[in-house]
């Protein structure tokens, strides 16, 4: 059985186009429901988190080092460390953990 990649690309383009166009054509007025507005506000953050979290754990040689760096990043962010400080803490912790584990 041969697979034609152009058919897959065409289907993917159609689905992507439909996802973007249907809300614009079907919804004419602004949302007034607080729940819907709140849900739509947080969708980009949730999507970014869902894509980033597995990469944090799997980007290192040891998932333990990734998990420890993630926990350290959460703690540092909780105490209002900036993005640069959080990333430096996480990278340093992964470096030390990888050096000790491997």
């Amino acid at each position: 059985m041969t697979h034609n990649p152009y058919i897959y690309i065409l289907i993917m383009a159609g689905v992507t186009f439909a996802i973007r166009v249907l809300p614009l054509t079907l919804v004419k007025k602004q949302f007034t429901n607080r729940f819907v507005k709140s849900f739509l506000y947080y969708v980009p953050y949730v999507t970014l988190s869902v894509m980033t979290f597995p990469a944090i754990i799997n980007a290192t040689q040891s998932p333990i080092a990734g998990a420890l760096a993630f926990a350290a990043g959460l703690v540092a962010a909780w105490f209002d460390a900036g993005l640069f400080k959080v990333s430096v803490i996480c990278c340093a912790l992964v470096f030390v953990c990888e050096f000790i584990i491997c």
Side-chain angles (χ1 to χ4, degrees), residues 44-56:
Y45 300 109
V46 171
T47 306
L48 182 62
S49 300
V50 168
M51 292 187 312
T52 305
F53 179 73
I56 292 170

Side-chain angles (χ1 to χ4, degrees), residues 7 13 15 28-31 46 48-49 70 72 77 91-92 100:
I7 293 175
V15 169
K28 299 290 184 186
K29 59 183 179 175
Q30 199 171 26
F31 294 112
V46 171
L48 182 62
S49 300
F70 176 70
C91 290
I100 292 171

